[in-house]
Structure formats: structure tokens, C-alpha cells
Amino acid sequence: MIVLQTILLGVAMTLALYFFGYGITRLLLPRAIKGFELLLMPFFGMALVIVWDYIALWLGVNLAMATWALGGGRWG
């Protein structure tokens, strides 16, 4: 059961990174390497989450709320 939960969590995190990286990859990736877009999407997503959360922490915002805001979530 723990193995299944770990696999599902990994899949969910990978899908979230694809979600976060989709727009920024489409926006910033040069035309010469557009063929590697799907491969690079989670890395761009991780970089976006790291920078976004770092700025949120620097501004004193709750980290959970900042991450939900990045995903377009609602709170409160």
C-alpha cells in the first residue's frame, strides 16, 4: 500500500510540474529546441515554483498560500 501511495504521489507531483511549466515553457523556449518541450516542461515548472516560493517567503507570505496562488487555487 505504501508503494502505491508513493507512486501516486510521484505521478501527482510530476503532473503538477507539467501544469506549472506549460506556460513558461511555451513562452521562453527558443524555436530551435521546441522538439524537447515535453521533456523540459517539468524542469521549467520546478524552476518557476522555486522562484515564486522564494519571492513569497521574502515578502512574508504563507508558503502554502503562495503555492496555491501559483496553481490558480482559492483560499479563505
Side-chain angles (χ1 to χ4, degrees):
M1 188 65 174
I2 292 175
V3 173
L4 179 63
Q5 290 173 344
T6 304
I7 290 171
L8 289 177
L9 182 62
V11 168
M13 288 190 310
T14 303
L15 289 175
L17 289 178
Y18 271 101
F19 174 75
F20 292 140
Y22 175 76
I24 197 164
T25 304
R26 302 275 300 189
L27 186 66
L28 296 179
L29 203 62
R31 196 177 290 264
I33 56 174
K34 282 285 187 188
F36 298 104
E37 189 173 32
L38 284 176
L39 180 66
L40 294 173
M41 222 177 276
F43 296 107
F44 275 86
M46 178 61 78
L48 177 67
V49 169
I50 289 170
V51 170
W52 178 268
D53 286 344
Y54 178 78
I55 291 170
L57 283 174
W58 185 74
L59 292 172
V61 177
N62 183 350
L63 192 58
M65 288 186 176
T67 307
W68 276 110
L70 182 63
R74 294 177 49 182
W75 61 85

